[in-house]
Amino acid sequence: MNKLTGWDDTIIALATPPGIGAIGVIRLSGARAMEVVNNLFPSKDLQAQASHTLHVGYLKEGENLLDEVVLSVFRGPRSYTGEDVVEISCHGSPFVQQQVLDACIRQGARLAKPGEFTQRAFLNGKMDLTQAEAVADLIAANTTASQKAALHTIRGGFSENLKELRERLLRFSALIELELDFSQEDVEFADRGQFYALINEMQVSTGSLLQSFRLGNVIRNGVSVAIVGRPNAGKSTLLNTLLNENRAIVSEIPGTTRDTIEELINIDGILFRLIDTAGIRQHTTDRIESAGIERSLAKIRQADIVLYLFDVNGKKTDLVKWKQEADEAGLRYLLVGNKIDAGDEAEARLQFSQFEPVVFIAAKQKKHIEVLRERMVDMVLQGQVQTENTIITNARHFHALQQVAASLSDIKAGLDRQLPGDLLSSDIRRCLHYLGEITGEITNEDQLDYIFSKFCIGK
Amino acid sequence: MNKLTGWDDTIIALATPPGIGAIGVIRLSGARAMEVVNNLFPSKDLQAQASHTLHVGYLKEGENLLDEVVLSVFRGPRSYTGEDVVEISCHGSPFVQQQVLDACIRQGARLAKPGEFTQRAFLNGKMDLTQAEAVADLIAANTTASQKAALHTIRGGFSENLKELRERLLRFSALIELELDFSQEDVEFADRGQFYALINEMQVSTGSLLQSFRLGNVIRNGVSVAIVGRPNAGKSTLLNTLLNENRAIVSEIPGTTRDTIEELINIDGILFRLIDTAGIRQHTTDRIESAGIERSLAKIRQADIVLYLFDVNGKKTDLVKWKQEADEAGLRYLLVGNKIDAGDEAEARLQFSQFEPVVFIAAKQKKHIEVLRERMVDMVLQGQVQTENTIITNARHFHALQQVAASLSDIKAGLDRQLPGDLLSSDIRRCLHYLGEITGEITNEDQLDYIFSKFCIGK
């Protein structure tokens, strides 16, 4: 049954991407899901079938044959949403799928809103809010790192961390609230030493979760990279070499705009967004870049990482000037000496050995590209090893955790000043509130609507 | 088991359209389908599970978590292909799907060729060739008519027609072959009167199937319509009125090119392709059309139907001239008197009553558009009612049936000339051959490869 009122309707949506394919799947969820499909399925009585079973037959609306289908039956609560769920595997014609959708709607189903299936799963207690949000992250995943981070959260990794902290804090909170009832008697049920230790422990956990967000942000959004350098340094050759070997598998996500002059590559599970590559492709003889860093600084500043490509067989003056300006501007950059194989490699390395950080490659001959790739990954991870630990990838979680951290500081300050329980209590409640907001134990409808509106329809 | 040798491999493909969605389905078929997935599915032993059941769990390659999935298990021969089939319902991230595909391939599956699942279904006797071809037709269906025709064939409607005829002919063939063994004795096992009656009956059936192809072609490919007329006759208004109410649900079919200046509308389940509408939109003041029919004749001749739009408040001279030239050119056209509501409607109708075929509308006011639509449909159907009868939509079937018809004529001529059994026999065999070729009882590998190569991958 649904937690919210007015919710007993049965929802329906196409769950597979639109377009022609071998099959398309239409998903229904709700109290009447079985009945709606059963009315269109003369071959057997769907309502008499066990959960987790498959049924082949024809969908018919009256005398009107719609499709030959396979039905998947999941009985609530053993389903994705916790309600009765039927999935209709149709032939992959958008026209036929529309006919099937329309027929189900005439039987009383209504079109689902974006994310409404997952929203029901959350409201019916099948998952908490971090898990629900990770479902959308997994669907958008385009690297191993984003896939792993999402799956870790879907499996409840993040929730468990928070749940344990919250429960321990709740126990202290209860004891301190109890003190308030006996405020006349000046008793302390909550051991202040133990409480102080817990707050310390929570600060460490929260701190490392907050720290993980820098990497989490990279995992979620990728790292923007600008490749700059004088004309003929080999920028477009390097771009093509990187793209040929590492082009990321990505698709357009409906509702997001992607900068069309951006190319995506996937190195060791990290997404690098090569910005302004159109510029590289089209204007290799453009004067702008050779005119110095100043004029393209705005563009370069957008980049998380700048690769400065130079010809190891050319003069050092440009390189010296660029490095100086980049240092002044506070850029994170990597100097990339190209065309290392044109002369004596050892000699060239020696000549540029005073520059740091630097790597040497031959873009055209695809030589030492793996060294460049490693250095790019190192610049992102900077010693942050990707472990099985929770990595915060979601800005909502990050902001709530910042509030948690702030309230922990306040509690600690209160303990230091030996404040009485009633004064500590409000900070504890604030801390509990933000912890609960992350997992969805505390929610408001607007926030939920906002979160689920970002999902695709059918999920 | 497979009919062809070297076929014991297990095939895999994404069965849903590419791109981001709530879910994506990966399908495996073959002797090792269960084993391949089982090796990636630690939560339970898939090979111990019953057919037609669903299983939720995580896919894992070693320690590497791939996705949380739902598996559909179909044990051969109770499956689409007749072999063991597993469908993996993944999260709808193309990246995740690729990871799952790759992991299954490492376990020994190989990527399926286009149509290979259906080809296996055919070769394993799950369907005949007409049914297999209709699967592709259903996936490409974009009107009720094409949907119905494909489903009729999938259900075996066409095969049954042919099977009965072929079996009756086979019985006579056997008797006549028997006569050959007793050729010295001048006996007739096959009653020539009954045989003559059968051939007559077969000619009627074959004739009506051949005739149905004109409609079948329309159902499959749609009807091309050119809207022509003087500038300001209201062509673009009519186009918009038709499009607003009847725009067809279509998607690009991979591998087909669509004329970009074509708009598709769906009236009563028939697809009309409005050709050269870009011309209508962009060149309403173009002199070409007003300069008479000659110069645009080539374009207009491509159309199955021409709608000549004229202003009922204008002069008749253009109309008279156009109709005369259209009659001479042998065009199939409909005269469409527009702006009927600008003056006295009855008067206008009377004035143009000598012209045939004619309808009167007010495109801007959307008046009498339903009459125009009915007339367009009538022009296509021309009394051919869409019944539950078989409609030939496939050119391969049409051409084979033409050969059947030709051999029936030869048999009949032979009977008329009272030819002996041995001379009749080769024509009978030819007839049986072409009947068998339609349903795939007689095939060659090249033909099969050609037919299935037109399917999408995953079907």
Side-chain angles (χ1 to χ4, degrees):
Chain A
M1 287 302 105
N2 297 303
K3 282 189 189 172
L4 295 188
T5 52
W7 242 52
D8 281 336
D9 47 355
T10 291
I11 54 175
I12 187 168
L14 181 67
T16 47
I20 287 193
I23 62 170
V25 178
I26 291 168
R27 178 185 275 174
L28 293 99
S29 176
R32 294 189 57 237
M34 300 284 172
E35 182 192 335
V36 164
V37 182
N38 208 29
N39 290 346
L40 303 168
F41 193 69
S43 20
K44 47 175 132 169
D45 182 9
L46 212 59
Q47 295 186 295
Q49 308 301 325
S51 186
H52 291 64
T53 54
L54 291 156
H55 306 277
V56 184
Y58 286 91
L59 281 193
K60 254 180 138 172
E61 190 178 26
E63 279 312 295
N64 192 16
L65 196 58
L66 296 172
D67 197 7
E68 188 183 18
V69 298
V70 179
L71 303 178
S72 302
V73 170
F74 302 87
R75 293 195 170 274
R78 286 183 60 211
S79 71
Y80 181 71
T81 59
E83 308 171 333
D84 282 355
V85 168
V86 181
E87 289 181 359
I88 306 173
S89 181
C90 308
H91 281 86
S93 146
F95 178 82
V96 170
Q97 288 157 17
Q98 190 61 48
Q99 303 279 103
V100 171
L101 270 169
D102 290 346
C104 289
I105 288 167
R106 280 189 289 271
Q107 290 298 326
R110 74 154 169 82
L111 269 184
K113 288 180 287 189
E116 198 170 1
F117 291 92
T118 308
Q119 189 168 11
R120 289 190 172 193
F122 164 68
L123 290 170
N124 291 327
K126 296 292 290 187
M127 51 179 79
D128 75 13
L129 204 49
T130 67
Q131 293 172 307
E133 287 169 300
V135 168
D137 290 343
L138 185 54
I139 287 172
N142 47 21
T143 61
T144 318
S146 50
Q147 177 190 19
K148 275 190 192 309
L151 279 166
H152 179 81
T153 306
I154 285 178
R155 297 186 85 178
F158 184 31
S159 321
E160 274 167 35
N161 295 342
L162 297 179
K163 206 176 152 196
E164 199 217 330
L165 295 179
R166 191 164 187 266
E167 274 172 10
R168 288 169 67 184
L169 187 58
L170 261 176
R171 275 199 296 276
F172 273 97
S173 173
L175 291 173
I176 285 170
E177 300 275 348
L178 201 61
E179 289 173 10
L180 304 187
D181 295 339
F182 296 85
S183 54
Q184 305 306 324
E185 300 166 40
D186 195 25
V187 290
E188 277 191 4
F189 295 109
D191 181 297
R192 290 297 186 270
Q194 282 177 20
F195 190 39
Y196 201 88
L198 171 66
I199 298 301
N200 261 338
E201 206 184 308
M202 287 183 73
Q203 282 188 314
V204 172
S205 304
T206 309
S208 73
L209 285 172
L210 282 169
Q211 265 204 326
S212 77
F213 185 61
R214 208 186 69 76
L215 181 57
N217 210 21
V218 161
I219 287 172
R220 190 189 180 89
N221 301 317
V223 184
S224 56
V225 181
I227 304 179
V228 300
R230 281 185 65 93
N232 297 321
K235 297 190 289 293
S236 61
T237 308
L238 175 59
L239 175 71
N240 286 327
T241 299
L242 289 172
L243 282 176
N244 285 341
E245 296 181 17
N246 306 93
R247 190 183 287 274
I249 299 169
V250 284
S251 279
E252 301 307 320
I253 304 170
T256 63
T257 50
R258 214 190 92 189
D259 192 341
T260 46
I261 57 162
E262 201 172 55
E263 297 275 5
L264 302 179
I265 61 172
N266 176 349
I267 303 178
D268 290 354
I270 293 170
L271 195 71
F272 290 88
R273 320 175 75 95
L274 303 176
I275 60 172
D276 194 18
T277 57
I280 293 178
R281 287 193 188 284
Q282 287 160 26
H283 311 292
T284 43
T285 57
D286 198 314
R287 297 291 101 191
I288 293 175
E289 291 184 24
S290 58
I293 197 170
E294 312 84 43
R295 287 162 66 183
S296 49
L297 196 59
K299 229 169 231 174
I300 289 172
R301 275 223 168 119
Q302 294 172 359
D304 296 321
I305 294 176
V306 180
L307 302 184
Y308 180 78
L309 201 64
F310 64 95
D311 185 342
V312 295
N313 310 293
K315 289 177 294 179
K316 285 189 195 172
T317 44
D318 279 331
L319 174 61
V320 171
K321 184 160 180 289
W322 191 89
K323 184 171 157 50
Q324 191 189 335
E325 291 181 20
D327 284 334
E328 283 165 14
L331 296 184
R332 296 184 64 215
Y333 61 86
L334 181 61
L335 306 174
V336 184
N338 194 17
K339 310 187 186 177
I340 189 77
D341 63 336
D344 183 329
E345 186 172 328
E347 174 70 21
R349 281 177 187 272
L350 195 67
Q351 241 204 311
F352 289 92
S353 60
Q354 82 269 32
F355 293 97
E356 255 306 315
V358 68
V359 289
F360 299 96
I361 63 168
K364 202 167 186 179
Q365 289 72 25
K366 301 185 169 60
K367 212 169 162 184
H368 306 316
I369 300 295
E370 71 290 351
V371 180
L372 171 60
R373 284 197 299 250
E374 271 171 37
R375 286 295 287 270
M376 287 168 70
V377 171
D378 284 349
M379 284 179 83
V380 175
L381 298 184
Q382 284 191 318
Q384 289 198 51
V385 187
Q386 288 183 53
T387 64
E388 288 300 306
N389 291 337
T390 298
I391 295 164
I392 304 293
T393 59
N394 186 312
R396 188 183 76 79
H397 303 168
F398 179 72
H399 294 307
L401 279 171
Q402 284 184 315
Q403 297 295 331
V404 170
S407 42
L408 287 173
S409 295
D410 290 345
I411 297 168
K412 203 169 182 178
L415 285 171
D416 283 338
R417 286 188 288 147
Q418 297 186 307
L419 289 185
D422 54 345
L423 291 177
L424 289 173
S425 193
S426 79
D427 287 330
I428 296 173
R429 264 187 248 121
R430 186 154 62 94
C431 188
L432 288 170
H433 172 89
Y434 284 109
L435 283 172
E437 217 176 50
I438 297 171
T439 54
E441 275 156 306
I442 292 160
T443 57
N444 69 68
E445 214 167 316
D446 286 348
Q447 193 193 35
L448 285 185
D449 284 349
Y450 177 77
I451 289 170
F452 288 104
S453 69
K454 304 252 178 161
F455 275 60
C456 52
I457 286 187
K459 195 70 210 181
Chain B
M1 288 300 106
N2 296 303
K3 283 189 189 172
L4 295 186
T5 53
W7 243 53
D8 281 336
D9 47 353
T10 291
I11 54 174
I12 187 168
L14 181 68
T16 46
I20 287 191
I23 61 168
V25 178
I26 291 169
R27 176 186 275 175
L28 293 100
S29 177
R32 294 188 57 237
M34 299 286 171
E35 183 192 334
V36 164
V37 183
N38 207 30
N39 289 347
L40 303 168
F41 193 69
S43 21
K44 48 175 131 168
D45 182 8
L46 212 58
Q47 297 185 293
Q49 307 302 326
S51 186
H52 290 64
T53 55
L54 291 156
H55 307 278
V56 184
Y58 287 91
L59 281 193
K60 254 181 137 174
E61 189 178 27
E63 280 311 296
N64 192 15
L65 196 56
L66 297 172
D67 197 7
E68 188 183 19
V69 298
V70 179
L71 303 178
S72 303
V73 170
F74 302 88
R75 293 197 169 273
R78 285 182 61 210
S79 72
Y80 181 70
T81 59
E83 309 170 334
D84 282 356
V85 168
V86 181
E87 288 181 0
I88 305 173
S89 182
C90 307
H91 281 86
S93 145
F95 179 81
V96 171
Q97 287 157 18
Q98 189 63 47
Q99 302 279 102
V100 172
L101 270 169
D102 290 346
C104 290
I105 288 168
R106 281 190 288 271
Q107 291 298 327
R110 74 155 169 79
L111 269 185
K113 289 178 290 189
E116 199 171 0
F117 291 92
T118 307
Q119 189 169 10
R120 290 191 172 192
F122 164 67
L123 291 169
N124 291 327
K126 297 293 288 186
M127 52 179 77
D128 74 14
L129 204 50
T130 66
Q131 291 171 309
E133 287 169 299
V135 168
D137 290 343
L138 185 55
I139 286 172
N142 47 22
T143 60
T144 319
S146 50
Q147 177 190 20
K148 275 190 191 308
L151 279 166
H152 179 81
T153 306
I154 285 178
R155 297 187 85 178
F158 183 30
S159 321
E160 273 166 36
N161 295 341
L162 296 179
K163 205 175 152 196
E164 197 218 332
L165 295 179
R166 192 164 186 264
E167 274 171 10
R168 289 169 67 186
L169 187 59
L170 260 176
R171 276 199 295 276
F172 272 98
S173 172
L175 292 173
I176 284 170
E177 302 273 346
L178 200 62
E179 289 174 9
L180 304 186
D181 295 338
F182 295 86
S183 54
Q184 305 307 322
E185 300 167 39
D186 194 26
V187 290
E188 278 192 4
F189 294 111
D191 181 297
R192 290 300 186 269
Q194 283 176 20
F195 190 38
Y196 201 89
L198 172 65
I199 298 302
N200 262 336
E201 205 183 309
M202 287 183 74
Q203 281 188 315
V204 172
S205 303
T206 310
S208 74
L209 285 171
L210 282 169
Q211 265 204 328
S212 76
F213 186 62
R214 208 186 68 77
L215 180 57
N217 210 22
V218 161
I219 287 171
R220 191 188 181 91
N221 301 316
V223 185
S224 56
V225 181
I227 305 180
V228 299
R230 280 185 66 94
N232 296 320
K235 297 190 291 293
S236 62
T237 309
L238 174 59
L239 176 73
N240 287 328
T241 299
L242 288 172
L243 282 175
N244 285 342
E245 296 182 14
N246 306 94
R247 192 182 287 273
I249 299 169
V250 283
S251 279
E252 300 308 320
I253 306 170
T256 63
T257 51
R258 216 191 89 189
D259 193 342
T260 47
I261 57 164
E262 203 171 54
E263 297 275 7
L264 301 179
I265 60 172
N266 177 348
I267 304 178
D268 289 355
I270 294 170
L271 195 71
F272 289 88
R273 318 175 77 95
L274 303 177
I275 59 172
D276 195 15
T277 57
I280 294 177
R281 287 192 187 285
Q282 287 161 26
H283 310 292
T284 42
T285 56
D286 198 314
R287 295 292 103 192
I288 293 175
E289 290 183 25
S290 57
I293 197 172
E294 312 82 44
R295 286 164 66 185
S296 50
L297 195 60
K299 229 169 229 171
I300 290 172
R301 275 225 167 118
Q302 294 171 0
D304 296 321
I305 295 177
V306 181
L307 301 184
Y308 180 78
L309 201 65
F310 65 94
D311 184 342
V312 295
N313 310 294
K315 287 177 296 176
K316 284 186 196 174
T317 44
D318 279 332
L319 174 60
V320 171
K321 186 161 177 290
W322 190 90
K323 184 172 158 46
Q324 189 187 334
E325 292 179 19
D327 284 335
E328 282 165 15
L331 297 183
R332 297 184 65 212
Y333 61 85
L334 181 61
L335 306 174
V336 184
N338 193 17
K339 309 188 186 177
I340 190 76
D341 63 336
D344 182 329
E345 186 173 328
E347 174 69 20
R349 280 177 187 273
L350 195 66
Q351 240 202 312
F352 289 91
S353 60
Q354 82 269 32
F355 293 97
E356 255 306 316
V358 67
V359 289
F360 299 95
I361 63 169
K364 202 167 185 179
Q365 288 72 24
K366 301 186 172 58
K367 210 169 164 186
H368 305 316
I369 300 296
E370 70 290 352
V371 180
L372 171 62
R373 284 198 298 250
E374 271 171 35
R375 287 296 287 269
M376 287 168 69
V377 171
D378 285 348
M379 283 180 85
V380 174
L381 297 184
Q382 283 192 318
Q384 290 198 51
V385 187
Q386 288 185 54
T387 64
E388 289 300 307
N389 291 338
T390 298
I391 295 164
I392 304 294
T393 59
N394 185 313
R396 189 184 75 78
H397 303 168
F398 179 71
H399 294 307
L401 279 171
Q402 284 184 314
Q403 296 294 331
V404 170
S407 42
L408 288 172
S409 294
D410 290 344
I411 296 168
K412 203 169 186 179
L415 285 171
D416 283 336
R417 285 188 288 144
Q418 297 186 305
L419 290 185
D422 54 344
L423 292 178
L424 288 173
S425 193
S426 80
D427 287 330
I428 296 174
R429 264 187 248 121
R430 185 155 62 95
C431 188
L432 287 170
H433 173 89
Y434 283 109
L435 283 172
E437 216 177 49
I438 297 172
T439 53
E441 277 156 306
I442 293 159
T443 56
N444 68 68
E445 215 168 314
D446 286 349
Q447 193 194 34
L448 286 185
D449 283 350
Y450 176 76
I451 289 170
F452 288 105
S453 70
K454 304 252 176 156
F455 277 60
C456 52
I457 287 185
K459 195 68 210 182

